[in-house]
Each structure stands twice: as structure tokens, then as C-alpha cells.
């Protein structure tokens, strides 16, 4: 699992790459907590290169979203593929999160909310 | 029938996943299904790591696999405290972000990705059977 972080104006854009399972979830949690503590912004997540996610990964994303939300910031998901998409559907994540087909769309929505 | 065992430790997870992945690929499952089976297996294994033993040291988890022409059957066996994860209530997926509990999603994924899942307590072991059919 790898995380790429970009800044675009007032937004944070995160790319989560590879496998997000119980072994790698803690590593992501540490990175996301750091972002949330130091410099929380409305955040766009691209999951285009995420090939695997289990409930351990879902938990980390849910907890990050809650912390952002508590600081009046929002999380925007984009580019879900294959199994990641079905895991999101089964977990009901589509009804609690803003999920967009393309990263451009997600960025546009996030920018208009700033 | 194939039987393998691992230490009850998160460090065993990648080896278990490689084992499950190879068996399912060889059995002819599509890569999408292989990934779903792997997620289900991870959820059951992590459940054992987190809940079966007070102290995981020295404990083992056994996985028994039987492949059939039309399905694959896994049995996850541990000698920990009696615990039936299937009986756990499914999470309420209609709750708002701030009301959604952080846990409970793993078993929901297992139930969705497996065609059959069963629990029994036998000779002081927890035995979870998971069957996945090739056609669904």
C-alpha cells in the first residue's frame, strides 16, 4: 500500500495505491491521522489504483471521514474500480459518502464547497 | 484435501492470502472472485487474530481446503474461546456518517462474497466453513 499526497489550492488530494488490508491499514491510519492533525482540508481520495480493500481499510477511511467531518471538512471519493466498488456498495458507503466517477468531478465538487 | 497452519499473528496474513489466492486461481475462479474470496478469508482470519485468544503467542490457525469441480470449501479452525461471528448482527448501513459504527463490516462482506458460511464448535475448536461456488 502506498499513499501519494498532492495539494491543489485549498484541497488535499490523496491517491491510495495497492492493497489495503489488515496488515497495511495501520500504516494508512497513521498517515491520515497526521494529515488530519497538521493540516486538515476538504479531501479528495482517488482509489483508481487501489486493487484490494477489506473491512480493516473501510474502518480507517470511515474514521478519517468522521474526524474531518468533526472539523467541518468533507471527504470526496472518486474512481472506484471492480471489487473496491462492490465492497463500498455492500458496506453502504455510497449512502454516507460523496462518490464520483472521475477525479475531476470530485475536485470540482470539493472546490465549489470550499 | 489440503491442510496448512499458521501462527495466530497478523504477520501470517500475507502468506495466508497468497495460499488462498493460488488455490482459487488454480481452481479456475475469475480474478474478481479470487479477490472476493481473499477478502472473505482475511475477515475470518483477522477475526480469529483479534478475538479468539487472550494471548496469541504459540497459538495456531488451521485452514483446511477441499476443491470440487463446481466449488471450493474452506474450513478455518482455531482452539480459542467459543465464538460464532455469523451470529453477529449486520451493521445498519442506512445510518449517517457520524452515527455509523467503525466496526462490524467484515462479516457482512463474508456473507456477501461466500455462497455458504457455517459455524460449529467441535472438540474445543471453532470451525468456520466457507463454501464458494464457481457459478453464481
Amino acid at each position: 500500500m502506498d499513499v501519494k499526497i498532492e495539494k491543489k489550492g485549498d484541497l488535499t488530494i490523496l491517491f491510495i495505491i495497492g492493497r489495503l488490508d489488515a496488515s497495511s491499514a495501520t500504516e494508512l491510519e497513521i498517515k491520515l491521522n497526521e494529515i488530519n492533525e497538521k493540516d486538515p482540508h476538504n479531501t479528495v481520495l482517488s482509489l483508481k489504483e487501489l486493487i484490494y480493500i477489506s473491512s480493516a481499510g473501510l474502518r480507517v477511511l470511515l474514521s478519517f471521514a468522521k474526524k474531518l467531518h468533526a472539523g467541518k471538512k468533507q471527504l470526496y471519493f472518486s474512481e472506484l474500480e471492480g471489487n473496491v466498488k462492490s465492497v463500498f456498495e455492500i458496506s453502504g458507503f455510497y449512502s454516507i459518502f460523496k462518490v464520483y466517477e472521475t477525479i475531476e468531478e470530485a475536485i470540482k465538487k470539493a472546490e465549489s464547497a470550499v | 484435501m489440503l491442510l496448512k497452519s499458521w501462527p495466530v499473528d497478523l504477520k501470517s496474513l500475507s502468506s495466508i492470502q497468497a495460499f488462498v489466492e493460488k488455490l482459487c486461481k488454480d481452481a479456475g475462479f475469475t480474478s474478481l472472485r479470487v479477490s472476493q474470496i481473499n477478502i472473505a478469508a482475511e475477515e475470518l482470519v483477522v477475526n480469529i487474530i483479534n478475538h479468539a485468544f487472550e494471548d496469541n503467542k504459540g497459538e495456531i490457525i488451521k485452514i483446511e481446503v477441499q476443491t470440487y469441480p463446481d466449488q471450493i470449501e474452506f474450513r478455518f479452525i482455531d482452539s480459542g474461546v467459543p465464538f460464532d461471528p455469523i451470529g453477529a448482527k449486520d451493521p445498519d448501513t442506512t445510518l449517517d456518517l457520524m452515527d455509523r459504527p467503525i466496526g462490524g463490516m467484515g462479516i457482512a462482506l463474508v456473507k456477501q462474497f461466500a455462497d455458504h458460511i457455517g459455524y460449529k464448535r467441535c472438540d474445543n475448536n471453532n470451525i468456520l466453513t466457507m463454501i464458494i461456488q464457481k457459478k453464481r
Side-chain angles (χ1 to χ4, degrees):
Chain A
M1 195 274 309
D2 238 323
V3 190
K4 221 168 68 191
I5 305 169
E6 284 177 13
K7 301 283 303 180
K8 186 175 190 290
D10 241 355
L11 294 181
T12 304
I13 304 171
L14 297 175
F15 300 83
I16 303 180
I17 300 151
R19 294 175 68 92
L20 186 48
D21 57 24
S23 315
S24 52
T26 318
E27 193 190 324
L28 179 66
E29 187 168 32
I30 292 168
K31 285 196 174 133
L32 295 182
N33 278 345
E34 209 178 277
I35 292 172
N36 199 48
E37 278 157 27
K38 279 193 193 149
D39 198 17
H41 287 284
N42 283 339
T43 302
V44 171
L45 267 179
S46 166
L47 303 185
K48 192 178 187 171
E49 290 174 80
L50 184 66
I51 53 164
Y52 179 103
I53 187 166
S54 62
S55 70
L58 294 178
R59 269 196 293 278
V60 171
L61 296 178
L62 184 58
S63 131
F64 179 56
K66 284 188 177 194
K67 285 175 189 157
L68 278 180
H69 192 83
K72 304 263 186 285
K73 305 291 180 199
Q74 306 275 347
L75 190 55
Y76 301 78
F77 287 89
S78 68
E79 306 184 296
L80 278 65
E81 306 277 345
N83 254 326
V84 173
K85 207 170 184 168
S86 51
V87 168
F88 265 57
E89 280 162 358
I90 294 163
S91 313
F93 269 30
Y94 275 88
S95 61
I96 45 176
F97 290 123
K98 300 176 178 72
V99 185
Y100 300 93
E101 287 284 319
T102 66
I103 188 166
E104 291 78 16
E105 222 180 317
I107 289 173
K108 213 172 131 193
K109 291 285 176 190
E111 280 177 334
S112 63
V114 171
Chain B
M1 204 266 288
L2 205 61
L3 176 69
K4 253 191 109 167
S5 61
W6 288 265
V8 179
D9 190 310
L10 201 52
K11 289 195 184 90
S12 301
L13 185 62
S14 62
S15 158
I16 292 174
Q17 286 182 323
F19 170 76
V20 169
E21 197 165 318
K22 176 158 194 332
L23 280 169
C24 295
K25 264 188 192 153
D26 291 350
F29 283 94
T30 62
S31 64
L32 192 75
R33 287 292 277 150
V34 172
S35 178
Q36 293 178 345
I37 297 164
N38 229 334
I39 291 170
E42 176 188 325
E43 301 299 347
L44 296 176
V45 166
V46 169
N47 210 38
I48 293 170
I49 296 170
N50 289 341
H51 302 295
F53 302 98
E54 188 116 340
D55 180 5
N56 286 339
K57 211 175 161 206
E59 305 292 353
I60 58 160
I61 170 168
K62 285 190 266 191
I63 304 180
E64 210 179 275
V65 190
Q66 181 85 56
T67 44
Y68 300 92
D70 55 341
Q71 66 184 37
I72 189 162
E73 185 175 327
F74 290 91
R75 277 141 66 86
F76 299 83
I77 305 162
D78 70 78
S79 61
V81 293
F83 180 60
D84 175 7
I86 308 162
K89 231 177 87 196
D90 283 341
D92 184 349
T93 54
T94 62
L95 291 174
D96 287 347
L97 171 64
M98 295 313 268
D99 295 328
R100 271 297 289 274
I102 296 286
M105 288 176 285
I107 284 299
L109 292 175
V110 177
K111 286 179 182 165
Q112 202 68 36
F113 291 149
D115 294 288
H116 167 82
I117 167 123
Y119 169 83
K120 67 174 177 185
R121 180 80 183 172
C122 190
D123 298 329
N124 289 321
N125 285 315
N126 293 310
I127 303 174
L128 261 158
T129 304
M130 173 170 87
I131 297 172
I132 289 131
Q133 280 159 4
K134 284 200 188 151
K135 286 207 177 95
R136 59 168 1 199

